[in-house]
Amino acid sequence: MSWALESLAAIKRIILLEDRIKTLSEQSERLMDTCRDLDRRLIRLEAKFELLEHMATPRRRRLPEKSEK
């Protein structure tokens, strides 16, 4: 193979690598967006469960004090 063909093959590989990197970068962005969305949804669910737990626990009420008559 001549040096021109080797150079052309190397350039072709570089272009293919750049295309793959671009594709992976776009996929990574989509995964990060999905992860952020899931994180926000999980936080909302946790807050709802904490509120339900708080509302479900009986509150201790003090008895009225004895009046002396």
Side-chain angles (χ1 to χ4, degrees):
M1 235 193 217
S2 70
W3 65 271
L5 290 175
E6 289 177 12
S7 298
L8 190 59
I11 291 171
K12 184 178 178 180
R13 276 186 268 144
I14 289 171
I15 292 171
L16 289 173
L17 283 172
E18 286 179 348
D19 187 47
R20 289 179 186 164
I21 289 171
K22 181 181 174 188
T23 303
L24 288 173
S25 177
E26 291 169 355
Q27 289 175 350
S28 175
E29 282 291 325
R30 286 194 304 266
L31 286 172
M32 285 190 305
D33 290 340
T34 303
C35 185
R36 282 189 208 110
D37 182 51
L38 289 173
D39 187 49
R40 283 191 291 263
R41 292 174 69 187
L42 179 62
I43 289 171
R44 284 197 320 245
L45 283 172
E46 287 175 341
K48 287 178 183 179
F49 278 115
E50 286 177 8
L51 178 63
L52 287 172
E53 286 176 353
H54 179 71
M55 292 176 66
T57 56
R59 292 190 176 94
R60 292 186 178 186
R61 295 184 182 161
R62 292 178 59 192
L63 296 173
E65 293 186 24
K66 292 183 180 178
S67 61
E68 294 183 31
K69 288 187 178 181

